[in-house]
Amino acid sequence: MSLGADAACGALKHSSEPTATSNETMRESHKEYADDNEKGIHIINIKAIEDIAYVQSDGMLLNSLGADRDTGCKHGLFFGDGQRKVDYILAFTYKKSSGSRTPHKKNHNSNSVHSLHSPKDDHHLPGGGADLEAMEAEPKMDYHEDDKRFRREEYEGNLIETGLELERDEETKLHGVGFVKIHAPWNVLCREAEFMKLKMPTKKVYHINQTPDLMQKLSSFIQKICEPIQPKVAGLRPQTVKHLSYPFSREKQHLFDMSDKDSFFDSKTRSSIVYEILKRTTCTKAKYSMGITSLLANGVYSAAYPLHDGDYDSEAEANDRKLLCDEWASYSAFYKFQPIDLVRKYFGEKIGLYFAWLGVYTQMLIPASVVGIIVFLYGCATVDENIPSMEMCDTRYNITMCPLCDRTCNYWKMSSACGTARASHLFDNPATVFFSVFMALWAATFMEHWKRRQMRLNYRWDLTGFEEEEGMVKDHPRAEYEAKVLQKSLKKEYRNKETEKEKLTWRDRFPAYLTNMVGIIFMIGVTFAIVFGVIIYRISTAAALAMSSNPNTRANVRVTVTATAVIINLVVILILDEVYGAIARWLTQLEVPKTDKTFEERLIFKAFLLKFVNAYTPIFYVAFFKGRIVGRPGDYYYIFQSFRMEECAPGGCLMELCIQLSIIMLGKQLIQNNLFEIGIPKMKKLIRYLKSKRQSYKDHEEHLKKKQRYEEDHNLEPFAGLTPEYMEMIIQFGFVTLFVASFPLAPLFALLNNIIEIRLDAKKFITELRRPVAVRAKDIGIWYNIIRGVGKLAVIINAFVISFTSDFIPRLVYLYMYSPDGTMHGFVNHTLSYFNVSDFKPGNEPTQPVDFGYKVEVCRYKDYREPAWSLNKYDINKDYWAVLAARLAFVIVFQNLVMFMSDFVDWIIPDIPKDISEQIHREKVLVVEVFLKEEQGKLQMLETWKERERKKGENCKSPRLSRSQRGSSASMYCHRADV
């Protein structure tokens, strides 16, 4: 039954102040609910959930695009009294029947909000919520729905015992969806802040040490120049004073700056405190204990989330969400810096650090893009001066090349590959070696710059010393882990074995570990098999096109085959990315990690490993394997005795590697990172709109109601974590660094993508997703180690690309060992071997030779082998071994030199800026001083009180003073002493 406003206020006055109890106490107070023989929802088969605060049930009818909108949404942000702020929302579904709706309307007042108070008065939720569900259950609700209702009542009762205040609203616009609003009062906030070791600002204010005059003037000058690209938010100017922060303590509340209690705990802190309480609180049923994760997984609640601050459209009242939408999530602000402090204030440190890292990465791409453009322009400027490509294009050399395939392919002129040779010089020139060294140092500098930026943010956000505080706060086990432990203990109890506190050992996890290993190896094998299938496609398609009677088709065989094969690879990569993400999650669930942090790290590692192999295997094939295992004319290697292994173009495989890399990189960024992120949420929103529109015809009265804030947030997409966001950026980082020697323009395309990506992600977080629970984090976690590993791997891969894929080393060897005049003239002829066409195996020679006006007796092919007239014809010659030795020497020298330079950059740049280190040290000293003064003040007050008491005692015992002369206070004191 609905309560009126007066009744609700009256109930609030009579509610007693809740006290904090342990989970065991809560279970004891609700023990009467437990029944050993009762059937219900078991938690052994729990679906894995990444983020417990954002779970949405299937088949829910959502009305996200309703015409009516409460622009202020004030009543959705506060309880029915308009005073208590809603800190968290629990949403649940219940079956509504048309038969119970009519009496429900008659018996309720206009106010549809129900307050929840002490659970001891009634097992049903106070305020009429349980009565409503009971009324809805009159048409005989099934057992599972009744069991869910019972669990909700018990769990919410336990929440009230922890001190939280609840209020139910089932008169919502959403069909069959009810909401429980949660408010954390001041005493609960203080208690939990002390338990979580939250650093809060004290009254002590100190001045930040200023930089020297010259640096200060330079900083002010730069700030004035950058002012047009700064977002219009408060707090962007450099701080001159700062509040000293210290972990909150209720005993020392007088030390903290509580001038405004309403803003002392901001909305993200309040929601994170409630979130911690929700994780600790459980409801019990016999021997089964269900926390919020289990309740969400079993459909007892459909979702749990904190609220956004308000609307973000132009007509909305001023709030942080609207400010972020205007100054951060707008594409028109692409040229501005990000308001990172405001992002952290609204979403928490973990998401703030992601966007800060993305901003630093994007800024560091600017110099890399500039240098890459210069390298590319250098290749364009020197293409007409490149002697090897000029020789290949010169028809006077009249070099006849051997067929590229058996029987169907013909002899061809080397000058026909002129375009490929000239294009290869754009990326295969001496400047690319310099660019590879530059990018290796760039990666090391980027990592150091990020560490310094991270330390500045840690100091500004009061995260210094967070690791020690984090170790003092117990990390709660995941619901799946507790369910597995419970299952294990029940089995042992069934066997009459007495057990102490159970936990999962390696023996329990061994089948999962074995499945993980086999699964990962199998999926990597699937990737290799798909790449092998594309190779077969390339070979067979090239042979088929070579048989065409159209000369234009035959001339463009290589371009056609390469382009179509790369597109096939791209489509397969996009599909397998989604498949591998699901498989990585499934494999991680089999391991049953104990904590959310462990689960996240193992999931990230598996997903990255599978997606890394998926994205880079086709590129690795072109870079290091294509054209290496070919053989020679007359003795080629075959696949399935039918397909000859493909070989590189006359200009080398570097041009094809560039095409492969550019199409896959740009395709992933355009289709997967941007189109999917924009298109899929819009499509989901359209589907929800169509469903809600269809439902609105059935519930016309409910459709006319205005939506509350929690209803609108319920229509948004649940937050799926930062793993997809980081993953796409790390894969892009690999494209930028791993094969940058073959594609100097990769940093430029990454920069253009990231400029859009930042605003796209910001818009998604502000407008498309429910507000995530704020999570404290000091760094980006395992992602830093992955980036560092990719940077180290990039040095090795670029060394091999320059050495084995490009012609840089063969040119150097020819220039300094074989060139007769010290120039590159004759290099092309030096790299080509001779083959006598009479040595073709029967049936492998061209069936329809091209008429060049002369009989072809000798053809050329690219390799270092003895000529046909040599005693050891077609054997590998000494030039091959000289070039191979030079290549291996270059790999060793390049790798060690660049590694040394990277480590030198790492060593010479301190991880913590000097001024930040001094400020952190100063804060520690100030904290000691503050507490020493407090203790001295206490001792002084104690000594003063003792001295005053001693004097009063002396006055009472003094014989020279009469009682009338001692004064009234002394007289009273002496009287008490006499008594």
Side-chain angles (χ1 to χ4, degrees), residues 576-591:
L576 288 184
D577 259 357
E578 303 300 322
V579 175
Y580 286 167
I583 290 175
R585 177 175 294 278
W586 175 69
L587 292 175
T588 309
Q589 291 170 6
L590 292 180
E591 292 184 26

Side-chain angles (χ1 to χ4, degrees), residues 47 71 120 290 349 688 690 726 740:
K47 301 176 182 177
T71 56
K120 297 179 180 179
M290 300 181 71
E349 287 79 7
R688 289 198 304 269
L690 294 176
Y726 272 114
V740 74

Side-chain angles (χ1 to χ4, degrees), residues 857-912:
E857 296 181 352
V858 176
C859 63
R860 309 291 295 275
Y861 62 98
K862 189 174 182 179
D863 205 348
Y864 291 100
R865 292 181 180 269
E866 297 290 343
W869 54 82
S870 173
L871 294 176
N872 300 317
K873 63 178 183 180
Y874 309 136
D875 286 347
I876 294 174
N877 59 21
K878 62 179 182 179
D879 297 343
Y880 171 84
W881 299 110
V883 171
L884 178 62
R887 282 173 165 166
L888 294 176
F890 176 83
V891 169
I892 295 173
V893 173
F894 181 89
Q895 174 185 336
N896 287 279
L897 178 62
V898 175
M899 288 286 191
F900 170 77
M901 296 173 67
S902 300
D903 292 339
F904 179 76
V905 171
D906 191 359
W907 172 76
I908 201 172
I909 301 176
D911 294 345
I912 305 177

Side-chain angles (χ1 to χ4, degrees), residues 400-411:
T400 303
M401 304 296 293
C402 296
L404 297 176
C405 61
D406 294 331
R407 293 185 297 277
T408 58
C409 296
N410 287 311
Y411 303 105

Side-chain angles (χ1 to χ4, degrees), residues 616-673:
Y616 296 115
T617 299
I619 302 174
F620 270 91
Y621 164 73
V622 175
F624 303 121
F625 297 100
K626 185 178 180 181
R628 312 292 174 192
I629 313 173
V630 177
R632 59 171 179 82
D635 189 21
Y636 284 116
Y637 301 137
Y638 291 88
I639 303 175
F640 304 135
Q641 298 181 354
S642 301
F643 301 104
R644 201 184 99 185
M645 292 295 294
E646 55 182 348
E647 55 186 309
C648 296
C653 279
L654 197 67
M655 186 61 197
E656 188 172 343
L657 176 62
C658 174
I659 295 173
Q660 184 102 2
L661 181 65
S662 59
I663 292 180
I664 292 178
M665 177 182 176
L666 297 178
K668 275 181 66 67
Q669 290 183 166
L670 180 64
I671 298 174
Q672 188 178 42
N673 298 355

Side-chain angles (χ1 to χ4, degrees), residues 14-182:
H14 287 87
S15 63
S16 59
E17 184 177 348
T19 58
T21 58
S22 63
N23 287 343
E24 284 75 11
T25 306
M26 293 182 226
R27 295 190 185 102
E28 289 296 325
S29 63
H30 290 79
K31 195 171 181 180
E32 61 269 22
Y33 287 114
D35 183 2
D36 292 341
N37 300 321
E38 187 176 4
K39 299 179 182 178
I41 304 172
H42 298 282
I43 62 171
I44 302 303
N45 300 319
I46 298 180
K47 301 176 182 177
I49 301 174
E50 180 174 359
D51 196 327
I52 75 159
Y54 313 99
V55 182
Q56 187 172 354
S57 63
D58 296 329
M60 192 178 300
L61 300 178
L62 303 179
N63 184 12
S64 62
L65 298 175
D68 298 329
R69 181 185 292 268
D70 185 5
T71 56
C73 287
K74 179 179 179 181
H75 297 293
L77 292 171
F78 293 87
F79 273 27
D81 56 10
Q83 301 295 325
R84 292 174 293 171
K85 186 178 178 63
V86 176
D87 298 319
Y88 219 86
I89 289 292
L90 296 177
F92 60 91
T93 57
Y94 60 93
K95 293 183 178 180
K96 299 182 74 174
S97 60
S98 58
S100 62
R101 191 174 297 145
T102 304
H104 173 71
K105 295 287 183 181
K106 291 179 181 179
N107 294 332
H108 282 313
N109 298 328
S110 58
N111 186 7
S112 62
V113 183
H114 316 292
S115 295
L116 308 180
H117 305 294
S118 175
K120 297 179 180 179
D121 298 334
D122 191 357
H123 295 318
H124 294 294
L125 294 176
D131 297 336
L132 176 67
E133 289 194 4
M135 191 181 300
E136 299 292 348
E138 285 180 4
K140 199 169 184 178
M141 183 180 289
D142 60 38
Y143 173 78
H144 290 293
E145 288 298 318
D146 191 56
D147 186 82
K148 290 179 183 179
R149 178 178 59 82
F150 161 75
R151 290 189 178 276
R152 283 196 294 269
E153 292 174 0
E154 183 184 1
Y155 183 72
E156 290 163 13
N158 291 342
L159 289 179
I160 294 173
E161 288 193 1
T162 64
L164 296 178
E165 298 176 2
L166 311 182
E167 189 175 75
R168 171 167 290 183
D169 183 4
E170 290 175 350
E171 285 294 295
T172 65
K173 189 176 179 181
L174 302 182
H175 178 76
V177 181
F179 297 94
V180 177
K181 296 179 281 187
I182 303 176

